[in-house]
Structures are given as structure tokens and as C-alpha cells.
Amino acid sequence: MVSSIESSVGTARKIITELPGPKSRALHERRKAVVSAGLTNGFPIYIERANGAILQDVDGNQILDLGSGIAVTSIGHAVPELIDAVSAQVAAFTHTCFMVTPYESYVEVCEELAALTPGTHAKTSALLNSGSEAVENAVKVARLATGRQAIVVFEHAYHGRTNLTMALTAKNMPYKDRFGPFAPEIYRVPMSYPYRDGMSGAEAAARAIKIIETQVGAKNVAALLIEPIQGEGGFVVPAEGFLPALSEWTTQNGVVFIADEIQSGFCRTGDWFAVDYEGVVPDMVTTAKGLAGGMPLAAVTGRAELMNAVHEGGLGGTYGGNPVAAAAALATIKTMRDRNLAGRAREIGEIVLGNLRSLQLDVAIIGDVRGRGAMLAMELVVPGTKDPNAAAAKAIVSYCNQHGVIALACGTDGNVIRLLPPLVITDEQLADGLDVLAAAVRSAS
Ligand code: PLZ
């Protein structure tokens, strides 16, 4: 078994060169000649191998990963179950195209999705390659099944970078600027953002619904698409009651409620899905990222009557549900179940929220600390105000990187630091990362 080869990656952060080191810097020069300048690297250290929550770069530095490749490697790096499942599948066959000749693992992944996503109704899925593609397909199906066109999205939303999903995404720079024209029939309404709007969930839902009803018309709306906890837009956790109220309104009005759980799903928030927290049952769920432990796989899972309304051949793609990615997903889900990673996410949440809240008492730049499970953030402000402090976020990320910790910024105003550690991170690793983060915050204050 490939997994029995012992990893050479240690379990602690260890910095042996300046960062990025000489080999990374040389690779970065090579990159510039051949990789589009449109792609940036938050932290240009080149990775050679990884294990658990530690990345090892080409210069031999060991970096603590508090980002999981943007919420993807939730089960950690180089997990034996995943290595074995993927290796065995590569040896068996790598591709047939599910639309040509099917295979069992595709069906098994869809069975897992039907069982794990909220609600006991009959559900079917389509497997795709990326989160953006899953969102695109959810919108296609919702429009076809309802015979309506309008799609309602929220302020600060992020749903992808393809043409349709750029239109669904809120933020102009860097995602949309000069890439238009964008797809029509997309309407944006205010999100519940307790730190900034001070509204209850019910009030914020009423505000959004009023805008939909007066400016779009309920009967024109095919779907309401929402991240139950927003990701790129700033880890905005809506006030309690917001999601249930919207869900109820969609049910009353024949609107498809689509939960985009691409970042928040698969144990990240301490449940299989973020909507589980308030018992909301979406009509459709989009998933990707954490689903397959790093292999590219995404899915739309929805009520069978919606998903099956599509004519034969209406959904598909060459690689969607690729056998290697499907094997990775099955190993990932099993690992999450066996190791109770949802429970571990809740523990991580308690540790980190407690830590950041006490730090907040000491410094003036942390306006808000929020999150659930292992999807955690602090929003940085100019002291004494609520004005976004993107400079502080930038300084904190850079300090963390210089000290061998990956932390990511996000937010419409770029002023939020988010933590998305692998759920297998140890208490020691987490404490180490939080120490570096606290030093970074103090140095930026
Ligand atoms: N929906 C909620 O978080 C991807 C994007 C990073 P893809 N988020 C990371 C970047 O700058 O491109 C995401 C998400 C939510 C959809 C997507 C899109 O998923 O797999 O990146 O297409």
C-alpha cells in the first residue's frame, strides 16, 4: 500500500530559510515566463509534499496550514485512506466518461450525497468538476424545472468565476472587472450581516423579501441562491432565523432554495452542512471543495422531481464524477465519519473563538470575531470605528506567512482574516498557529 510509506514531513512548523526560500524564488521566476499574470499566489512558496496540517516546501521549510487550500483538505494532507483509495483507482481505470460507460463509485457518491444532505425526501445528484460548474448546473435545473428565469443572490456573495457565476458573485475586483457582459436575470438583495446591520434574522429576511417582491416579483423567481455562511465575501454568519425565514418564503412561493455549501459543507462548520445548524432543508445543495479531499469534484444534489425534470442528456460533461475523484470522495466521507471530524470542527471552533475573543479585548483593530466550527474569522477595523481595515488584514497575512503560517484574507473590503484549518489539526499545532496569529495582530495594531 502506498500509504505505508512513512511521510518525511514533520508535525511541527519549522523554518530553515527566509520565506520564500531560494528554490521557491527561482521557481517563481520560471513561472513568470509561462503562467498567466492573471493568476496570483498569495504566498509563493512552492510545495513539495504535505502531511496532516503541515506543508513542506522545496526549500525544506515546514509550514502550518490554516487555509486547507481554501477549505478543501478538511481531512488533512496525505491521509492514508485517501492515498490508498486513489492509488487503487488509478491502477484500475482513470476514466471512461460516465455518460459513455458508467461505474459504481459515481452511484455510490450520489447515494452518500442523498443520505448526508438535509431532508429525507428523494434526491438525485449530478457530479461536476468545480464549484462554479455545480452552481451553473443548479441554476440551469432550477430554471428548467420552474419555467422561471430570475435568480436572487445576496450582497457579498461568491459563487464562482465562469460567466454565469461571475454574474452571481458580488465583488467586482478582482473577479468581474472588465470581464462582462454578464448573464441577465440576476437580482441582488441585502444579506443578514449582524455586525454591520444590527438586524435580527427575521428583520433582515423581511427586508430581502420585500425587495424581491417589489422589484422582481415572487412568481418570476426560479431560485434563491445563498451561502449559509458566506465564504469569500467575509465569513458573514447571518443572524439566527434569517435562513429559516427565507426558506419558508421560497416554499410558499414555489421558488427553489439553493444552498451553496461549497465552502461551508462537509463538516467544516461542525455539521455535515452549515444549514443543518438551524434545520433548514434546501431544495438543492451545491458541494465541492471538502467533498473529495483535494481531488476536483463537485455536485448538485436536489429534490428528485427538480433534478429529474431535465430532459435526457441535458446534464453532463466529459470529466464530471471522474472515477479517481469519486474514489477520493468516498474515502473522504468515510474518514470524516470514522474520525468524527464534525465533532472535531466544533472543538476547533471553541478553542479558536475563545482565543480570538480574548485577543479582541486587548487590541482595537478586531471589530468582530465570528464563525462556526472550523470556519472562523475576525473582521478588522480602524480603531474606534467600524471602517474596514484592509491594511491590517494584509499586514497580518504577511506576518503569518513570514513566520510559516498560512492564513487567508477575504471580505468584500478585504478586511477579514479567515481560518480554515484541516480538521485533523492537533491541539499543539492549533495553539502554535494562534500564537503566531496573535503576534501578527499585535504587530499590525
Ligand atoms: N461557491 C461558496 O467558496 C470557491 C474561490 C477562490 P470553484 N471559493 C474559492 C478564487 O479566488 O477563485 C467557491 C465558493 C462558493 C462557489 C465557489 C466556486 O468554486 O471550485 O472555485 O469553481
Side-chain angles (χ1 to χ4, degrees):
M1 279 195 294
V2 185
S3 68
S4 58
I5 302 167
E6 206 176 307
S7 175
S8 56
V9 181
T11 56
R13 187 168 59 95
K14 192 173 87 191
I15 309 307
I16 58 175
T17 71
E18 58 181 323
L19 291 173
K23 287 185 183 161
S24 279
R25 289 204 305 274
L27 278 169
H28 211 57
E29 283 311 306
R30 253 173 78 192
R31 169 220 204 275
K32 284 182 191 156
V34 289
V35 179
S36 164
L39 287 136
T40 54
N41 307 107
F43 186 18
I45 50 163
Y46 284 69
I47 303 304
E48 202 164 68
R49 55 186 74 244
N51 194 30
I54 302 286
L55 299 169
Q56 185 176 302
D57 75 5
V58 287
D59 292 289
N61 297 297
Q62 297 192 162
I63 307 295
L64 180 62
D65 184 6
L66 298 184
S68 301
I70 321 191
V72 172
T73 51
S74 297
I75 60 169
H77 298 279
V79 176
E81 293 91 320
L82 185 116
I83 296 173
D84 290 335
V86 166
S87 315
Q89 184 56 51
V90 169
F93 62 96
T94 53
H95 179 80
T96 65
C97 186
F98 187 75
M99 300 185 305
V100 180
T101 49
Y103 37 89
E104 185 177 358
S105 56
Y106 189 113
V107 179
E108 234 180 308
V109 171
C110 296
E111 286 168 349
E112 288 284 18
L113 288 165
L116 295 173
T117 54
T120 53
H121 51 277
K123 297 168 207 157
T124 61
S125 295
L127 303 185
L128 300 312
N129 303 295
S130 69
S132 305
E133 212 188 339
V135 173
E136 290 246 356
N137 278 275
V139 169
K140 275 165 71 169
V141 173
R143 283 180 168 155
L144 180 149
T146 59
R148 304 173 180 182
Q149 293 189 346
I151 305 296
V152 172
V153 290
F154 289 80
E155 283 174 1
H156 311 289
Y158 183 91
H159 297 292
R161 293 176 181 265
T162 57
N163 185 266
L164 174 60
T165 58
M166 274 192 292
L168 299 167
T169 289
K171 189 174 174 176
N172 178 48
M173 270 309 241
Y175 307 123
K176 304 169 73 163
D177 197 58
R178 294 168 294 155
F179 290 135
F182 301 112
E185 284 305 311
I186 289 163
Y187 300 90
R188 194 171 307 284
V189 298
M191 178 66 179
S192 163
Y193 195 155
Y195 175 60
R196 295 202 171 268
D197 65 24
M199 286 184 176
S200 71
E203 288 163 351
R207 174 179 63 176
I209 289 166
K210 171 96 167 72
I211 294 173
I212 302 168
E213 289 183 339
T214 55
Q215 299 184 17
V216 192
K219 68 178 190 318
N220 298 317
V221 181
L224 181 144
L225 168 65
I226 189 163
E227 300 155 86
I229 294 181
Q230 289 182 320
E232 305 305 308
F235 278 35
V236 179
V237 185
E240 275 191 33
F242 182 68
L243 295 171
L246 292 178
S247 167
E248 198 186 318
W249 178 85
T250 58
T251 305
Q252 287 163 355
N253 289 280
V255 174
V256 179
F257 185 102
I258 308 172
D260 181 347
E261 292 263 8
I262 287 165
Q263 191 153 164
S264 57
F266 281 97
C267 298
R268 178 51 56 187
T269 65
D271 285 300
W272 282 102
F273 297 97
V275 287
D276 290 332
Y277 185 74
E278 290 186 272
V280 168
V281 178
D283 301 306
M284 281 187 200
V285 181
T286 56
T287 53
K289 292 188 183 279
L291 161 63
M295 294 298 290
L297 186 71
V300 192
T301 303
R303 290 185 185 279
E305 65 269 27
L306 299 174
M307 295 297 293
N308 295 347
V310 181
H311 48 276
E312 281 183 23
L315 302 176
T318 305
Y319 294 114
N322 168 275
V324 183
L330 295 173
T332 298
I333 292 167
K334 184 173 185 315
T335 302
M336 287 177 169
R337 219 182 249 131
D338 290 353
R339 301 196 194 174
N340 183 20
L341 292 184
R344 180 59 184 156
R346 290 194 290 272
E347 284 172 12
I348 292 170
E350 274 174 35
I351 296 168
V352 174
L353 287 174
N355 180 292
L356 295 183
R357 284 189 180 133
S358 64
L359 181 62
Q360 184 182 21
L361 300 175
D362 263 21
V363 297
I365 59 171
I366 303 181
D368 192 27
V369 170
R370 59 179 177 251
R372 193 184 307 144
M375 185 167 185
L376 300 150
M378 51 186 172
E379 177 159 353
L380 303 162
V381 293
V382 175
T385 74
K386 283 192 175 183
D387 297 346
N389 191 344
K394 226 173 156 181
I396 291 167
V397 167
S398 155
Y399 182 104
C400 286
N401 290 350
Q402 286 317 306
H403 292 78
V405 174
I406 294 184
L408 305 172
C410 64
T412 300
D413 293 302
N415 66 322
V416 177
I417 298 288
R418 58 175 151 174
L419 301 180
L420 292 163
L423 305 179
V424 295
I425 192 169
T426 64
D427 285 350
E428 298 71 45
Q429 289 168 336
L430 191 56
D432 177 47
L434 288 171
D435 283 349
V436 173
L437 188 65
V441 170
R442 289 182 203 285
S443 111
S445 288

